[in-house]
Amino acid sequence: MSLVLLDRERESEESPQPGQNEVTMKEDGAEAPHEKKIGGDGRNFFPRLTVKFSFMQKRKSDTSVRRSPSSEGGTQTAALPFEENLAQLRLWEAGQQLIAREEQLFGSPGEKEAEWETEEAALRKHYKALLLKVQEVVRDTLDCKTKESSLKSAVSAIMEEEKQDQQWRKAMEGQVPPWRPQGWRQTHDRMLEELVTLRINRLDKVQGVENLSSSLKTDICKMGKLVKDDLLRVVQNVKDCYPEEFDICNLYARLYHQAFSERLQDLATSPMEIEDCTYFISWVYDHYPNNVLRHKSLQTSIDLQALGPLLPEDVVQPLEQQYLSHAESQLGTWISKALTDENAAWKKGDLPKKEDGYYTTAMTFPVIKLVDDCVKEAGTILGDIMKAQRIVCQLGPFLQSYRESLKNQMKVKQINVKPIIKGSLSGICQLRDYIVVSMDPQPEDVRVRHLDIVNDMEKQCYKYLINSIQSDIKPHYNQLGTASWLSDGSVMTELLMKIRENVEAHKDMRPSCLQALVAHLHLQMMVEYVRKLMKRKLRLKSREEEDRLVERLCEDSHALNDLFSQEGSKEEWLSSVLPGIAEVLKLQDPEAIKLEVLSLAQKYPDIREEHVCALLYLKVHLSKDNIASIQKSLVENHIPSVPTTSQPFYSMVQVKWIFKVAPLRSQLTATGLPKIP
């Protein structure tokens, strides 16, 4: 604001009556300014002060009645000398006295030069003393040495000084006190920054922290506790002493965040042992954000997003890599030892343990728990579960070694092999469930690789058990598709009894694994049955024998379905395999047979000419021309590339001999299809 000549009439209207200013200043506890007289010659010693600032008049009118910010109920306080106010930490009152003297000195019409200089020096000295007291009060806040009333008074003094700085900025250059602007607000903030830095570098006074296994751990823990305790004091004891514009909680949080970061960056420059490294990054990503900043008493007062990360990426990334490499190595060692111990037990001939009467492996669950715990711990320490996904890759080498161990065990003739396979199937199911459902995070390609290994292990285990069962019932298989089988139902009865015995012998497996085994056995039984039927051991001679074959197929189909359904097989689609063959065999008209074969090919797209030839070989009155015509029709109308939901079946039926009627396809040979693994 520019200087203006004081309107004499307005001055007389707005100026306090004699004694009024004195009363007012006494009411607010500040010393009443003395009237300055103009020299007898009517001139001023300082021509530049012959006018008053209009903002001075406004200042006086705004502060004609002032109350201490620490007074209760607006009670006015008695006037005290400046030194007494300073000693009693009535800092706002002391500041008001200095402001009044400042305005009197620099806004008066004039005074003797010597007196003016003396008063200016005194003011400068008193302002310095006041600032030191304000700093002392603010500095002692975190040590709980400051009363709330004193802090409020100090903050109010700072605010008044900020207002006074703003007022003096309106004056013309050369008419401002030399100490203005004082910038107490900036001084306050710088002092807090220095205070926070000092406190976080002097940790000897931090209580409640025992000496940890290293000095680095102890220092980090003490710093973290100091930050937490001091921020809690700010929120609980300091916050209400500051106006909102100071945003004091976020100011302290930002300063401690910066100071803590600087100390940690200094520590990160030196090499660390893995335990110190782990402790370091756990504070960066876990303890500090979760236990300090997100403390229930701090959450509503601190803007966490504004703080940003505690450490820059280039500082923390090498430590992350050090931790992850160690975690991978440690996990790989643990799970490898688990497999080594399991192999040692197998070689000794030990039987796997049973739980609830079912064989299981004592290795799989601990391995899964180790992997899961390691990944979750790394995710917590690193603050991001996605960073821990590389640890999951350690499961791959373990699965490969486990698969090789099982393959080697299957080659050994020991009494404990079957129980080992049964128990391993239970563990394999647990591994699959973990990979599919629970194991996160993991890249999709890693998940697929792991599942491929697990599925192959499971396939090999079931194949071993199925082969063992088939070896036991092979003598009964050999009778299928023979004349004795066609004429005597006891062959099938004995086969069913043998199948049931073998299923019963495997009921020490987990129910889900037993059900899968029964389903595999059901499929293999039907494949073997059809293969025997197409082996050309049976040569029918009459229509009656054809009818008897159709009847036998229907009876056997019903008996097999009943048996496997009772044992838990859910492969209902297999119940239509033998009736489909029976439908072809019971027909006599070549055209009807042709249509039925095409219908069978639509239901089982993997059926081939060799299967049809072997099947038609059982027909008594079908000529070679008829068979050739049916074959040709199958080739012309069969489109195997059409998508279908049907289960493959005939591709598993090997036909080693084909009654070749005509050269319909160059690739048709007498060896049939290759065996499906």
Side-chain angles (χ1 to χ4, degrees), residues 580 583-585 587-603 607 612 615-616 622 626 629-634 637-638:
E583 286 296 322
V584 174
L585 295 179
L587 296 175
Q588 300 300 321
D589 180 57
E591 290 300 319
I593 293 174
K594 182 187 299 183
L595 294 176
E596 192 62 37
V597 167
L598 292 177
S599 177
L600 190 65
Q602 289 180 350
K603 191 170 185 178
I607 196 170
V612 174
L615 183 59
L616 296 179
L622 208 59
N626 294 145
S629 176
I630 294 172
Q631 273 190 295
K632 182 178 179 181
S633 176
L634 179 64
N637 294 282
H638 186 40

Side-chain angles (χ1 to χ4, degrees), residues 290-354:
N290 295 323
N291 299 334
V292 177
L293 298 182
R294 290 189 176 88
H295 188 280
K296 61 182 180 180
S297 298
L298 301 179
Q299 284 188 8
T300 57
S301 301
I302 295 177
D303 183 359
L304 302 183
Q305 296 298 324
L307 294 178
L310 182 59
L311 291 177
E313 189 69 20
D314 61 329
V315 173
V316 75
Q317 190 174 24
L319 298 175
E320 290 179 5
Q321 297 304 313
Q322 180 182 353
Y323 167 75
L324 284 171
S325 296
H326 173 76
E328 286 180 302
S329 175
Q330 193 174 43
L331 177 62
T333 300
W334 288 340
I335 59 180
S336 177
K337 184 179 184 303
L339 181 57
T340 300
D341 293 343
E342 188 81 348
N343 282 330
W346 291 350
K347 291 179 180 179
K348 285 170 57 179
D350 294 345
L351 292 174
K353 294 181 179 180
K354 283 187 176 182

Side-chain angles (χ1 to χ4, degrees), residues 126 179 223 245 267 341 432 496 500 517 543 606-607:
H126 286 169
W179 51 79
M223 285 189 285
E245 64 192 71
L267 294 174
D341 293 343
R432 179 191 290 106
L496 295 174
R500 192 180 297 275
L517 177 67
R543 173 70 180 275
D606 59 337
I607 196 170

Side-chain angles (χ1 to χ4, degrees), residues 458-474:
E458 183 183 59
K459 181 179 178 181
Q460 295 300 324
C461 288
Y462 282 123
K463 183 178 180 181
Y464 178 87
L465 295 178
I466 291 296
N467 289 342
S468 175
I469 294 173
Q470 286 184 327
S471 296
D472 188 47
I473 62 177
K474 185 175 181 180

